[in-house]
Amino acid sequence: MADASTMHIDVVSAEEEIFSGEAEFVALPGESGELGIYPKHTPLITRIRPGSVRIKIPGQAEEELVFVAGGILEVQPDMVTVLAETAIRGHDLDEARASEAKKQAEEALANKSGKIDYAKAQAELAEAIAQLQAITRMRTKR
Amino acid sequence: MAGFKEIRSKIRSVENTKKITKAMEMVAASKMRKVQERMRAARPYSATVRNIAGHLAEANPEYTHPFMVKRDVVKRAGLIVVTTDKGLCGGMNTNVLRSVTSKLREFEERNIGSDVVAIGSKGVGFLSRIGARIVSQVVQLGDTPHLAKLIGPVKVLLDAYQAGEVDEIHLFYTRFINTMSQVPVTEQLVPLSAEHLRPDWGTHGWDYLYEPDAPTVIDDLLKRYLESMIYRALAENMASEQSARRMAMKAATDNAGNVISELRLVYNKNRQAAITKELSEIVSGAAAV
């Protein structure tokens, strides 16, 4: 895959592939300090803090800069993978998001009995399906 | 003759409707391409997370995360239901909600309670009308899926799972097969089965250095993995939505065209009949003179 002086690096987030290619050197903000990685690094897995990832591409004077909002770094001797976050994460922030979603549901839900009205569900679904069938029949008729 | 004006205004109204459905069809077609790209862009991440989690599981056989432990007695199940925010997209929401309803009924028969996380306002509306217990919801997702919007509602259910309140989590969405076909699917999200985490490439004999420690990293990874699966479900659902809408609007446009040509026929027949009648009146009038 790569010769001895380079390694493959992938920076991916859940929403897109941010960077993929060969690199001579990568620097990124690890959870317990700045990390610099050359090819043939020992296998390592760690969380990274929000910051910029600097990638030195062979034959290119300028370093590639990628900003990540935290994430997870996996290092293997000939490849580096950065799983970047797309959103700033944190325990409190996630908790706030969860309670927000919960609150919305509670507001929307008048009866929290948990008794499911299957008759109503079936009637509603049957009506929707009947409508759709009517439309397809109308189409095939012609 | 009566009815001329009515027919003409009817034709005009159907023509206007046709213009609208045609426009919606084209909008959906252009959005479809973008959402499909989004869907593809999400693939490398989930594949990578799965690979790393697979490596980790292999390197740490002694540590099994609660997400991977199958519970013997299931008392409560969680359902994550992904639907669209807007209608006019054919039967895709109906199909998903139908499989949700049958699953809910199955759980009730087995005496299993159910908590629902509703993503998309169509599902929220339906599920709250039928009285399902919605523990969290998210609506107004827009045209591009964003992971940030999913973190909160999904965390509610994952926390409940880790606290032992929920013993299984199922995911419902519409899978995008191609632009012509989308199918409703049900996947069991948690507990994760072993084949979920099998890495794509071969085994290796070494372990990683962990910072800060293995369990923390594995916890983080598995959470990311689940989130990426739900994100992918949302992205597929959005791609399905646009394709389904394009098809539905194409059908509506075609139908409007048919209705217009039928109405034209009636209109012309009436016009001819009126002319013939008038002529015969004139002729018979002339003959009488």
Side-chain angles (χ1 to χ4, degrees):
Chain A
M1 190 159 67
D3 62 80
S5 64
T6 64
M7 59 195 159
H8 189 78
I9 168 156
D10 282 312
V11 183
V12 290
S13 80
E15 292 178 11
E16 61 191 334
E17 186 165 53
I18 298 166
F19 179 88
S20 177
E22 297 297 313
E24 284 174 345
F25 173 73
V26 184
L28 27 73
E31 200 173 43
S32 42
E34 192 79 7
L35 285 165
I37 293 157
Y38 283 100
K40 306 279 169 243
H41 194 283
T42 183
L44 165 79
I45 195 157
T46 180
R47 284 197 288 207
I48 52 176
R49 285 181 290 114
S52 52
V53 178
R54 287 185 291 127
I55 303 162
K56 174 84 184 75
I57 299 162
Q60 193 178 315
E62 237 168 70
E63 285 176 331
E64 196 78 32
L65 269 180
V66 178
F67 180 81
V68 291
I72 295 170
L73 166 78
E74 187 217 19
V75 182
Q76 283 182 39
D78 55 2
M79 71 182 286
V80 173
T81 312
V82 181
L83 298 170
E85 303 283 7
T86 43
I88 305 279
R89 300 290 288 260
H91 186 72
D92 295 343
L93 258 174
D94 283 7
E95 206 61 64
R97 284 186 183 117
S99 58
E100 171 68 19
K102 226 189 233 171
K103 209 178 76 206
Q104 271 185 17
E106 278 161 11
E107 276 169 12
L109 209 63
N111 60 330
K112 281 194 282 182
S113 60
K115 267 263 164 278
I116 297 168
D117 190 349
Y118 287 110
K120 196 167 183 180
Q122 239 158 12
E124 203 167 304
L125 291 171
E127 196 185 309
I129 289 160
Q131 277 174 359
L132 288 165
Q133 277 172 346
I135 292 167
T136 42
R137 215 172 300 138
M138 190 174 159
R139 266 174 77 67
T140 48
K141 204 181 71 188
R142 293 214 173 83
Chain B
M1 194 177 173
F4 268 2
K5 218 169 159 240
E6 281 89 339
I7 296 174
R8 215 163 31 211
S9 70
K10 182 97 198 184
I11 290 176
R12 209 167 300 139
S13 118
V14 177
E15 269 170 354
N16 286 339
T17 311
K18 189 182 169 185
K19 272 180 212 154
I20 294 167
T21 55
K22 183 83 194 162
M24 286 183 78
E25 183 195 330
M26 288 191 292
V27 170
S30 87
K31 278 185 184 169
M32 190 175 76
R33 233 161 291 140
K34 268 182 238 156
V35 192
Q36 259 172 277
E37 264 163 41
R38 277 267 167 184
M39 191 181 74
R40 284 202 194 97
R43 273 183 197 153
Y45 184 84
S46 54
T48 317
V49 177
R50 200 186 60 210
N51 274 326
I52 299 177
H55 284 165
L56 283 176
E58 205 174 277
N60 292 275
E62 74 283 356
Y63 178 75
T64 42
H65 190 271
F67 284 154
M68 297 172 71
V69 181
K70 199 169 174 354
R71 295 185 190 163
D72 299 331
V73 186
V74 179
K75 291 187 296 297
R76 237 188 142 69
L79 291 89
I80 301 176
V81 180
V82 186
T83 53
T84 66
D85 269 334
K86 293 181 186 125
L88 292 182
C89 49
M92 66 173 275
N93 285 329
T94 314
N95 290 336
V96 169
L97 292 173
R98 192 156 50 157
S99 62
V100 172
T101 313
S102 66
K103 196 81 178 173
L104 284 172
R105 176 167 265 179
E106 185 199 314
F107 283 145
E108 198 174 80
E109 274 161 13
R110 284 163 54 197
N111 243 337
I112 298 170
S114 41
D115 287 351
V116 185
V117 171
I119 300 173
S121 58
K122 287 286 159 190
V124 172
F126 176 80
L127 292 163
S128 64
R129 273 200 299 282
I130 67 163
R133 188 163 173 267
I134 302 179
V135 288
S136 66
Q137 67 177 57
V138 54
V139 294
Q140 281 162 14
L141 295 146
D143 288 329
T144 44
H146 286 296
L147 188 67
K149 282 190 177 161
L150 294 175
I151 295 168
V154 171
K155 187 177 160 61
V156 174
L157 209 52
L158 292 182
D159 284 354
Y161 181 86
Q162 276 179 311
E165 291 158 18
V166 169
D167 307 298
E168 268 181 5
I169 298 176
H170 298 265
L171 177 64
F172 295 80
Y173 66 99
T174 307
R175 178 170 288 159
F176 179 84
I177 308 284
N178 54 42
T179 54
M180 297 307 283
S181 93
Q182 301 89 34
V183 290
V185 288
T186 310
E187 279 173 8
Q188 181 168 323
L189 204 61
V190 181
L192 283 165
S193 54
E195 64 255 35
H196 258 132
L197 294 176
R198 200 175 301 136
D200 285 344
W201 61 78
T203 55
H204 52 77
W206 39 264
D207 195 1
Y208 293 98
L209 289 174
Y210 298 97
E211 273 177 48
D213 55 294
T216 324
V217 174
I218 295 176
D219 283 7
D220 252 28
L221 260 176
L222 285 180
K223 211 159 86 192
R224 297 289 178 281
Y225 178 58
L226 293 176
E227 279 168 7
S228 82
M229 298 241 303
I230 296 161
Y231 176 82
R232 201 204 61 211
L234 179 64
E236 289 221 12
N237 203 71
M238 281 185 174
S240 303
E241 176 190 358
Q242 297 303 344
S243 311
R245 178 164 300 132
R246 199 189 68 105
M247 279 204 296
M249 288 303 112
K250 191 174 172 357
T253 310
D254 293 351
N255 279 346
N258 289 338
V259 170
I260 288 169
S261 61
E262 246 167 52
L263 284 172
R264 282 245 166 81
L265 195 67
V266 175
Y267 178 79
N268 287 338
K269 266 187 191 162
N270 273 357
R271 196 173 54 102
Q272 283 294 341
I275 292 168
T276 314
K277 201 179 153 205
E278 233 167 79
L279 262 180
S280 68
E281 270 165 14
I282 292 167
V283 170
S284 59
V289 171

